[in-house]
Amino acid sequence: MIYSIDEILETVRMIQAQHLDIRTVTMGINLRGCIDKDIDKMCENIYETITTRAEKLVPEAKAVEAKFGIPIVNKRISVTPIAQLIDTPLADAEEEEAIDGAVKVAKTLDSSAKKLGIDFIGGYSSLVSKGFTMGDTILINSIPYALTSTDRVCGSVNVATTKSGINMDAILLMGHVIKKTAAIDPLGCAKLVVFSNAPPDNPFMAGAFHGPGEPETVINVGISGPGVVRSVLTQLEDADLGELAETIKRTSFKITRMGELVGREMAQRLNVEFGIVDLSLAPTPAEGDSVANILEVMGLERCGTHGTTAALALLTDAVKKGGAMATSYTGGLSGAFIPVSEDAGMVEALKLGAINIDKLEAMTSVCSVGLDMVVVPGDTAPETISAIIADECAIGMVNNKTTGVRIIPAGKEGEYVEFGGLLGGSPVMPLNKFSSSKFVRRGGRIPAPIQSFRN
Amino acid sequence: MQKERAVITVNGIDHPGIIAAVTKALADLDVNIEDLSQTIVQGLFTMILIADITDHDLAKLQDRMAEVGREQGVQIAVQHENIFKYMHRV
C-alpha cells in the first residue's frame, strides 16, 4: 500500500468525525479599473468585473470539494476597499446624495454575490489609520445603511497601525456608526469589524478586503479545524505542555497542507494567482468545533479562568509553527480565533460566568483578531464602544499585531441574542459601568509607538 | 501522462457481500484496483482500495460508489489520492 492504513483512516476520520474543513476559498478582485465619474456607470462596471472574474468560483470549488472529499464551507470574494473607488463619482455630492451613492455600490456588491452564489463579499472598507479622504468619510457614514440593506456585504474600517498610530477621530466615529447600525438591525454589526493593523490578504469575514500590494485577482484560502486539534489533545491526558505544543504543531501541519493543496488546485483551475493560506483555528457554533473546548482539554475547568491567556498563547503559537512548515505563503490572520457567539464553548463559559470582557481583552493580546462577536447591552453609550475599540487598537499597535473589534450592541444584560447560521448566538456581556467619554471625545491621533521606527 | 489514483474507503457494520459489491461495481466501470486492504477497526468493517482512475470520470465513480454504499448500508468515500499525499508526505 502506498499510504499506510492509519494515514488514510486518519484523514477520513478528521473530515467525517472531527469537522475538518476548508473554511473558505476567497477570491480577491481589484476593482480600481471600475472607477467612473458616473456612479451608475461605476456600479455597472463593478457588477460586470465581479461576475465575470468569479464566474467559475463556486462551480470549481464544488468540483474540488468532490475530488478531495473535503468540504469547502464558504466561497467568498474580497474587493478593493470601496472607499478608494467612490471619491471620483461622489466627492462633490451633497451628504445625503453621497451616502445614497455609496449604498448603491453596496447593493451592487450584494447582487453580484447573489448572482454568483457567493456566501459573503468583503471590502466595503476604508483604511483611515492616519486620516480620512472624502471617500473614507462617505463610506464610513454610509455603513449603517449599507450593511443593513444588504445580506452578504461585509465591511471593515482600519483605524490604527503600528506605523501611524491610532486615529481617535475615526474610533469616536465608529462608536456612533456601530450604535446607528445596531439601531436599524444588530445583524449589520456582525458584518462589520474595526481593525488595527488590518492584513490586506485576509480571507476571513467580516474583515476581508483586497488590499494594496495584492495582484489583480488572487485566490486565498482559510483553513480551520478546532475539532481535530481537540480530538488529538484528548488522547494526551498525561502529556506535559511541550508535548501538547508538539502535537498541535503536527496537527496544524496536516490541516494546512490540505489548505495548500486546495488553494493551488483552485488557483490553477481558475487560472489566477495563488495567494496565501491563512492557517487558523476558527470555531463554528457546531458541537465540538470550539476553540474554547481546546483550552479546556488542556486542563482549564472553563475557558476564561486563570491560565486561559497562557493556554491560548501556546495554542496560537503552535498552530503558526506547524502551519509555517506546511505552506510557504502564510498570511491573513493566522492563529487562533476567539469569536464569542460563534463558539459553543465560549457561550457556555459566558453563561457560567467564567469569562468576562476583561479576560477576553487579555486573551486578544495573544490570539488572532480580537474582541470578536461580542454582544454588549443595547443601551451602551457610543463612547464606551469607542473606548473598547481604542483599547483593542492599542494592544494591536503596541504589539505589532492585528487586532479587531466586532461588537454588537443588542438586548439587555443577561438576555440571549441569536443571529443564526455561522454567527451563532450569545448572552449579552456586561461592561464596566464607568464612563470613558471625556477621553475618547478628545479626538486627534495617538502617536505611533517607538516600535514603529524600525528602519 | 501522469497516473491519477483515487483512494476508496469503505466503513460499516460487517456482513457478507460488501467486498463483492464494491469490487464488482469497479470492474463494471472498468476501473482497475491497484491495492486493497481490509481490516476491522473498532468492530467496524473497514476496507481501503487504491484505484487507477486515469481517463475515468471521478464524479461518475463517486455516484456509483454512493449507490453501492446505500445498497450495502456502508459509508463509502472516494477521494483523489493527492489529499493523502499532501497531508502525510513532505
Side-chain angles (χ1 to χ4, degrees), chain A residues 124-275:
Chain A
Y124 200 74
S125 306
S126 166
L127 314 175
V128 291
S129 56
K130 216 165 176 182
F132 301 85
T133 64
M134 292 292 288
D136 290 324
T137 311
I138 297 169
L139 183 114
I140 292 174
N141 286 323
S142 76
I143 284 175
Y145 315 105
L147 295 189
T148 52
S149 63
T150 55
D151 297 316
R152 304 188 188 182
V153 177
C154 291
S156 56
V157 180
N158 190 54
V159 295
T161 63
T162 301
K163 281 278 179 199
S164 57
I166 302 176
N167 183 346
M168 285 300 288
D169 293 326
I171 287 179
L172 182 59
L173 187 55
M174 286 317 292
H176 288 279
V177 164
I178 288 170
K179 282 287 284 186
K180 219 178 200 178
T181 309
I184 305 173
D185 180 1
L187 199 58
C189 297
K191 297 186 285 174
L192 173 65
V193 52
V194 186
F195 268 124
S196 156
N197 288 325
D201 56 3
N202 160 33
F204 289 112
M205 294 300 167
F209 62 86
H210 187 72
E214 292 290 301
E216 189 63 29
T217 312
V218 68
I219 285 287
N220 293 328
V221 170
I223 49 114
S224 189
V228 181
V229 174
R230 194 188 61 140
S231 160
V232 293
L233 292 187
T234 312
Q235 292 151 22
L236 296 175
E237 198 55 49
D238 302 314
D240 74 8
L241 294 172
E243 269 175 78
L244 286 192
E246 180 62 29
T247 308
I248 297 167
K249 243 162 63 180
R250 283 171 198 267
T251 312
S252 164
F253 171 83
K254 290 178 185 172
I255 299 173
T256 310
R257 291 292 289 173
M258 226 173 233
E260 168 98 2
L261 172 68
V262 167
R264 293 209 175 271
E265 175 95 17
M266 283 298 297
Q268 190 209 339
R269 281 169 180 251
L270 296 165
N271 198 20
V272 300
E273 259 180 81
F274 171 61

Side-chain angles (χ1 to χ4, degrees), chain A residues 80-411:
Chain A
T80 306
I82 295 299
Q84 296 172 10
L85 307 182
I86 57 181
D87 284 291
T88 306
L90 300 177
D92 299 327
E94 296 290 319
E95 198 188 326
E96 216 167 289
E97 194 189 330
I99 286 176
D100 285 347
V103 171
K104 206 179 271 180
V105 177
K107 287 183 174 162
T108 306
L109 296 177
D110 201 40
S111 58
S112 52
K114 283 175 180 160
K115 163 94 192 306
L116 294 165
I118 298 287
D119 303 289
F120 281 114
I121 184 160
Y124 200 74
S125 306
S126 166
L127 314 175
V128 291
S129 56
K130 216 165 176 182
F132 301 85
T133 64
M134 292 292 288
D136 290 324
T137 311
I138 297 169
L139 183 114
I140 292 174
N141 286 323
S142 76
I143 284 175
Y145 315 105
L147 295 189
T148 52
S149 63
T150 55
D151 297 316
R152 304 188 188 182
V153 177
C154 291
S156 56
V157 180
N158 190 54
V159 295
T161 63
T162 301
K163 281 278 179 199
S164 57
I166 302 176
N167 183 346
M168 285 300 288
D169 293 326
I171 287 179
L172 182 59
L173 187 55
M174 286 317 292
H176 288 279
V177 164
I178 288 170
K179 282 287 284 186
K180 219 178 200 178
T181 309
I184 305 173
D185 180 1
L187 199 58
C189 297
K191 297 186 285 174
L192 173 65
V193 52
V194 186
F195 268 124
S196 156
N197 288 325
D201 56 3
N202 160 33
F204 289 112
M205 294 300 167
F209 62 86
H210 187 72
E214 292 290 301
E216 189 63 29
T217 312
V218 68
I219 285 287
N220 293 328
V221 170
I223 49 114
S224 189
V228 181
V229 174
R230 194 188 61 140
S231 160
V232 293
L233 292 187
T234 312
Q235 292 151 22
L236 296 175
E237 198 55 49
D238 302 314
D240 74 8
L241 294 172
E243 269 175 78
L244 286 192
E246 180 62 29
T247 308
I248 297 167
K249 243 162 63 180
R250 283 171 198 267
T251 312
S252 164
F253 171 83
K254 290 178 185 172
I255 299 173
T256 310
R257 291 292 289 173
M258 226 173 233
E260 168 98 2
L261 172 68
V262 167
R264 293 209 175 271
E265 175 95 17
M266 283 298 297
Q268 190 209 339
R269 281 169 180 251
L270 296 165
N271 198 20
V272 300
E273 259 180 81
F274 171 61
I276 55 111
V277 178
D278 189 308
L279 43 116
S280 293
L281 289 183
T284 68
E287 188 64 37
D289 216 15
S290 153
V291 172
N293 287 160
I294 298 177
L295 304 177
E296 288 163 3
V297 168
M298 284 179 171
L300 302 169
E301 190 180 356
R302 274 292 160 195
C303 177
T305 188
H306 306 291
T308 304
T309 312
L312 183 61
L314 184 159
L315 176 65
T316 302
D317 180 67
V319 166
K320 286 181 186 171
K321 282 177 180 160
M325 170 73 184
T327 173
S328 301
Y329 300 107
T330 56
L333 291 168
S334 299
F337 280 55
I338 51 166
V340 177
S341 76
E342 295 172 14
D343 188 317
M346 279 284 189
V347 172
E348 192 57 33
L350 183 52
K351 279 182 186 160
L352 294 170
I355 200 161
N356 57 30
I357 193 125
D358 298 331
K359 190 64 184 180
L360 272 175
E361 185 187 311
M363 288 164 77
T364 64
S365 61
V366 298
C367 77
S368 286
V369 195
L371 286 176
D372 199 11
M373 291 303 283
V374 175
V375 185
V376 300
D379 60 0
T380 305
E383 288 83 1
T384 303
I385 294 174
S386 300
I388 294 170
I389 298 172
D391 280 342
E392 272 308 308
C393 287
I395 291 175
M397 174 182 80
V398 171
N399 295 299
N400 249 319
K401 73 186 281 294
T402 304
T403 51
V405 175
R406 189 160 47 144
I407 200 167
I408 303 150

Side-chain angles (χ1 to χ4, degrees), chain A residues 38-55:
Chain A
D38 176 46
I39 185 78
D40 292 314
K41 181 78 178 87
M42 186 166 95
C43 286
E44 257 173 56
N45 294 347
I46 289 174
Y47 186 84
E48 182 71 26
T49 305
I50 294 174
T51 50
T52 320
R53 285 204 213 162
E55 197 184 0

Side-chain angles (χ1 to χ4, degrees), chain A residues 1 3 5 66-68 257, chain B residues 35 37 62 79-81 86:
Chain A
M1 201 149 266
Y3 312 102
I5 295 180
K67 180 172 177 186
F68 297 127
R257 291 292 289 173
Chain B
D35 206 338
S37 155
Q62 283 171 331
Q79 292 162 280
H80 197 278
E81 72 160 346
Y86 249 75

